[in-house]
Amino acid sequence: MTAASPAADGGAQDPAAPPGRRFEPDLRSMTRINLRPIASPMPLGFFTIALASVMTGCLQLGILGDEARTAVAFTVLPAFVLQLLVSYLAFGARDVIAATLMAVFAGSWLPYSLIMLSGAADGLKVLGVFNLALLCFGALMTAVTGPKRALWLVLAVSLPRWAATGLAGVTGAEWLTRTSGALGLLVAAVAMYTAFALMLEDMRSEQVLPIGRSGPAHLAVEGDLAVQLRNLERQAGVRRTL
């Protein structure tokens, strides 16, 4: 999104101003803000969460043996790239909450893959502390994602998984690892449903499966163009500073 304003033909010169300094007239009537519509990247982001969660969950549950760690790491590694792409597109679509969430998810897959591939010493314990930090981030995000029920629900089921994974890494308790694996499959199911619901909504231009939007999130989909453009001049990318 860019803001463009043509140069004034001639600015009014203030007699009290220093020589050579010009003061432009009010340019608001000549300003045009251009928006570029894009396809929603969120189904891709949720499908990526689902696939990566299935692979890591199966490894934690023992469905895939320890010898499969390297293969699982290679399978999960592309999730970092895909969700980073989703985050970039979400920032371009002016959705800072979705963009931040997807970027953090992307950042969680990369260290997991690298540690599993390298077999670094105390790697699982380090990942445990990392997941506890993710738990704190997720708790804060749930406080602001309420109107976006799809994001909120994925976060809500991710929180106990991050807690179980973190405690399992720090304590080495096997039952916590199994619990985290089972919660990973639950995260995958919720993310898969959300992605499918968003894809149906996009294809049919109406809600088919319930997602539970409310407040500003509901108005963003159901409201008219005037609602979409409200306070546009104060949004990042248009205003002068972030």
Side-chain angles (χ1 to χ4, degrees):
M1 176 174 62
T2 59
S5 57
D9 293 334
Q13 182 69 38
D14 187 341
R21 185 172 181 180
R22 300 171 61 84
F23 287 83
E24 304 293 346
D26 190 347
L27 300 180
R28 284 178 293 182
S29 62
M30 297 186 291
T31 300
R32 297 294 181 267
I33 298 174
N34 302 314
L35 302 178
R36 184 183 64 181
I38 64 171
S40 173
M42 297 310 293
L44 173 61
F46 287 124
F47 274 129
T48 302
I49 292 175
L51 294 174
S53 296
V54 166
M55 299 308 300
T56 56
C58 287
L59 183 64
Q60 291 174 310
L61 287 170
I63 298 174
L64 301 173
D66 287 343
E67 65 278 2
R69 287 193 176 195
T70 300
V72 170
F74 274 120
T75 304
V76 172
L77 186 58
F80 162 72
V81 179
L82 291 175
Q83 292 206 264
L84 196 61
L85 172 63
V86 171
S87 175
Y88 171 78
L89 294 174
F91 274 119
R94 301 179 294 139
D95 193 333
V96 66
I97 293 177
T100 301
L101 182 63
M102 288 296 159
V104 171
F105 267 110
S108 70
W109 301 127
L110 182 60
Y112 174 86
S113 298
L114 294 180
I115 288 177
M116 290 294 105
L117 286 172
S118 65
D122 287 332
L124 293 179
K125 183 173 291 187
V126 171
L127 283 177
V129 175
F130 181 71
N131 275 274
L132 292 177
L134 280 178
L135 176 64
C136 297
F137 158 80
L140 294 175
M141 285 292 290
T142 54
V144 296
T145 55
K148 297 174 176 288
R149 289 298 180 186
L151 291 176
W152 183 89
L153 188 57
V154 173
L155 267 175
V157 294
S158 296
L159 290 179
R161 194 200 183 190
W162 286 332
T165 303
L167 293 174
V170 172
T171 65
E174 186 66 21
W175 71 271
L176 283 172
T177 300
R178 304 299 187 197
T179 300
S180 176
L183 290 171
L185 297 184
L186 177 60
V187 171
V190 173
M192 192 77 72
Y193 168 83
T194 303
F196 184 62
L198 290 174
M199 289 185 68
L200 283 179
E201 180 180 83
D202 185 73
M203 288 187 298
R204 301 188 184 182
S205 299
E206 62 180 2
Q207 181 174 290
V208 180
L209 296 175
I211 299 179
R213 290 190 184 94
S214 63
H218 176 75
L219 290 176
V221 176
E222 302 295 337
D224 57 20
L225 185 59
V227 174
Q228 307 302 307
L229 300 181
R230 187 178 299 163
N231 295 326
L232 183 61
E233 70 275 10
R234 295 182 179 87
Q235 295 187 8
V238 178
R239 63 177 188 254
R240 185 171 182 177
T241 66
L242 295 178

